[in-house]
Amino acid sequence: MSQQNKKMTKEIQNKLKSAERSFQDWKTVSFSERKKLFTRLAKLLDRDSEDLAKIITEEMGKPISQAVAEVEKCALMTRYYANAENVLKPEKVETEFRISEIHYAPKGVILGVMPWNFPFWQVLRFAVPTILAGNTVVVKHASICFGSGNAIEKLFLEAGFPKAVFQNLEVGHEVVKELLENSIVKAVSLTGSEGAGAEVAATAGKYIKKSLLELGGSDAFIVLDDADLESAAVSAAKARLANCGQACNAGKRFIIQKKIEKDFMPLFINEYRKYVPGDPMDPETEIAGMARPDLADELEKQYTTALENGAEIILPLERISETAFMPGLIKVKTGNPVLQQELFGPLGMVMTAKNDKEALELANDIPFGLANSVWTADRKRQKFFTDHLESGTVSINRETSSDPRLPFGGAKSSGYGVELSLLALKEFVTVKTVVGE
């Protein structure tokens, strides 16, 4: 082992030990007192939203207006938990025993393995309910987002949280296995690719540790013949191209009922063409480049593969710099291998369906199941899709977006476990039965 790796391992051990010591005190702090600190944290996020947004944009290239919106959404979510009902207080159960209760005990030090596409939102979406539940957190952020991770740690300290309740670890992905093997770490939450999730889950399972996985998606955006086509077209372009298409729950497959294809597609194309890459620091820019050149390379390869397997070009995916593209649209048919992959960038796929049954079959015919959007004015058709779509979220007449008040999670290869809502407070606790005379 090199001297550098020895030093890194010692540093990690010291941080983990600090997190464990902090947990012993933090778990005794009342739920109401913890909430007060989150109120302060929300105020700091609002106060510093523009400065924090610049860090996001500088690190991963997100348009500054979307970066500001990300920080503001973090403040909204943090404030939601600062006002949350204490669903972790002991619950009494009527039995023949004098004492019969359900208690919720925090697990301890929880590891978060976080991605680069929403550098603040993903981290805080994991950390806020986890810490409010009485745990402490160590975060391994994406290597291009260490600045975001460090800024979040400073915010926790400024808000008055005890030292080591939240810690950012500046380490590479190769250290995740070592962290999971450490007895101090009690559970893990990962947001990332299917491959990364499988690897982390396997290691966590080996050591009998809970894992929460929020993985990829290839969400369907279904437009039926009674939909508001103009609203659907605006929403469809935004669903695919916000954050340069680098979102797990972005609309990626646009399933259009055949009888309205000629009416809908011109509207959709017109909206799509409005997204022209610009300077990410310009407040007017709605789309910029991708986060890294290698990610752009991968998208270009997927585009080529799709065309080689029969996809038709609606709008070409044109690379105009190392990371930026003129957004592309392709028409694909069942059997194209690209349909079984996640397109993480400004490239959308269009399919047509004869009727609701075929639209449902196309939507479900993938390994992913994160979120789907359905556009129809008919309540019965809405119910048909909400009952049968295989995904963690179904959005009706709107593009998919997460809401602090509502649970967010996936089905199939999109992962398991719940983030957001009051349900998230119970993800990293031990349910303890207390019974006796």
Side-chain angles (χ1 to χ4, degrees):
M1 183 183 291
S2 70
Q3 287 299 115
Q4 184 177 5
N5 284 340
K6 282 183 181 178
K7 182 179 178 182
M8 180 177 288
T9 301
K10 185 176 180 181
E11 183 181 345
I12 290 170
Q13 283 283 359
N14 288 338
K15 288 197 171 188
L16 291 180
K17 288 175 182 176
S18 294
E20 187 175 42
R21 287 192 299 270
S22 183
F23 168 67
Q24 298 306 321
D25 293 328
W26 180 246
K27 69 179 181 180
T28 67
V29 176
S30 70
F31 193 83
S32 59
E33 288 301 311
R34 292 177 203 153
K35 290 203 301 180
K36 290 177 183 177
L37 294 176
F38 283 106
T39 297
R40 294 181 199 169
L41 180 61
K43 290 178 180 178
L44 294 177
L45 287 163
D46 281 330
R47 183 197 71 185
D48 296 343
S49 61
E50 293 189 5
D51 291 337
L52 298 173
K54 288 177 183 176
I55 297 173
I56 294 173
T57 299
E58 288 167 356
E59 288 190 319
M60 56 76 62
K62 179 176 302 192
I64 191 69
S65 61
Q66 293 175 27
V68 170
E70 178 178 338
V71 178
E72 290 175 343
K73 187 174 181 179
C74 289
L76 175 71
M77 180 267 297
T78 303
R79 196 166 282 111
Y80 165 78
Y81 283 107
N83 295 307
E85 175 191 355
N86 184 5
V87 295
L88 301 178
K89 61 187 177 185
E91 299 175 15
K92 294 185 183 297
V93 179
E94 288 298 325
T95 69
E96 70 272 25
F97 302 107
R98 183 179 67 84
I99 303 172
S100 50
E101 297 177 344
I102 302 169
H103 292 209
Y104 300 95
K107 286 185 175 293
V109 180
I110 313 299
L111 170 64
V113 183
M114 297 290 113
W116 46 263
N117 57 335
F118 291 91
F120 270 66
W121 173 250
Q122 304 281 19
V123 171
L124 289 167
R125 186 175 73 180
F126 150 67
V128 170
T130 302
I131 292 171
L132 180 56
N135 302 288
T136 57
V137 159
V138 291
V139 167
K140 181 265 173 277
H141 213 324
S143 57
I144 63 171
C145 294
F146 287 160
S148 293
N150 289 333
I152 294 170
E153 182 173 342
K154 290 177 182 175
L155 287 170
F156 269 92
L157 292 172
E158 186 177 351
F161 285 85
K163 187 177 180 182
V165 163
F166 178 101
Q167 292 181 93
N168 182 56
L169 308 179
E170 292 193 30
V171 296
H173 63 85
E174 70 281 354
V175 181
V176 171
K177 185 172 183 290
E178 178 186 342
L179 290 166
L180 279 171
E181 290 171 342
N182 194 296
S183 61
I184 292 175
V185 173
K186 303 305 182 189
V188 60
S189 176
L190 175 140
T191 298
S193 68
E194 184 181 354
E199 189 174 340
V200 163
T203 303
K206 180 180 178 181
Y207 293 94
I208 322 298
K209 297 180 181 183
K210 180 172 182 177
S211 58
L212 186 156
L213 305 179
E214 198 271 276
L215 308 178
S218 187
D219 298 341
F221 190 104
I222 303 166
V223 184
L224 303 179
D225 57 6
D226 64 339
D228 180 335
L229 299 189
E230 291 186 1
S231 295
V234 172
S235 182
K238 181 181 177 184
R240 174 67 290 215
L241 298 177
N243 201 30
C244 199
Q246 300 168 122
C248 55
N249 63 345
K252 298 182 175 80
R253 295 174 301 132
F254 298 89
I255 301 173
I256 315 303
Q257 192 164 354
K258 184 67 177 175
K259 66 189 294 186
I260 58 165
E261 181 182 12
K262 289 183 180 179
D263 294 321
F264 177 74
M265 286 307 298
L267 298 172
F268 184 26
I269 291 168
N270 182 59
E271 292 299 326
Y272 214 81
R273 281 179 167 151
K274 292 178 181 179
Y275 288 79
V276 178
D279 177 4
M281 285 296 183
D282 184 342
E284 300 300 315
T285 295
E286 293 190 8
I287 187 170
M290 296 180 66
R292 300 192 313 259
D294 63 300
L295 299 169
D297 293 342
E298 177 61 26
L299 185 69
E300 208 163 36
K301 288 177 185 175
Q302 290 175 302
Y303 177 61
T304 300
T305 298
L307 297 181
E308 290 173 347
N309 285 274
E312 301 173 20
I313 297 174
I314 299 172
L315 291 173
L317 181 74
E318 297 180 21
R319 195 163 183 174
I320 58 176
S321 73
E322 261 198 328
T323 59
F325 293 96
M326 290 298 294
L329 267 180
I330 53 177
K331 189 171 184 179
V332 297
K333 294 181 180 179
T334 303
N336 196 311
V338 77
L339 286 167
Q340 304 303 311
Q341 304 169 11
E342 181 175 31
L343 299 182
F344 219 64
L347 176 62
M349 298 174 283
V350 175
M351 307 180 79
T352 57
K354 296 189 296 291
N355 51 40
D356 293 12
K357 183 175 180 291
E358 186 177 22
L360 177 69
E361 289 171 353
L362 291 174
N364 285 339
D365 189 27
I366 59 167
F368 304 105
L370 191 57
N372 292 297
S373 177
V374 182
W375 290 71
T376 173
D378 188 288
R379 297 293 176 88
K380 289 183 180 179
R381 297 175 93 180
Q382 292 173 7
K383 187 176 188 307
F384 170 75
F385 282 97
T386 56
D387 285 349
H388 298 291
L389 281 168
E390 298 168 351
S391 57
T393 297
V394 178
S395 299
I396 306 294
N397 296 324
R398 63 190 302 274
E399 71 267 18
T400 297
S401 61
S402 52
D403 184 315
R405 299 166 296 181
L406 299 172
F408 183 81
K412 302 194 286 189
S413 293
S414 290
Y416 50 76
V418 170
E419 295 186 295
L420 301 177
S421 80
L422 295 180
L423 290 176
L425 290 169
K426 294 184 177 180
E427 280 292 335
F428 294 111
V429 296
T430 297
V431 181
K432 184 186 299 185
T433 296
V434 180
V435 60
E437 297 298 338

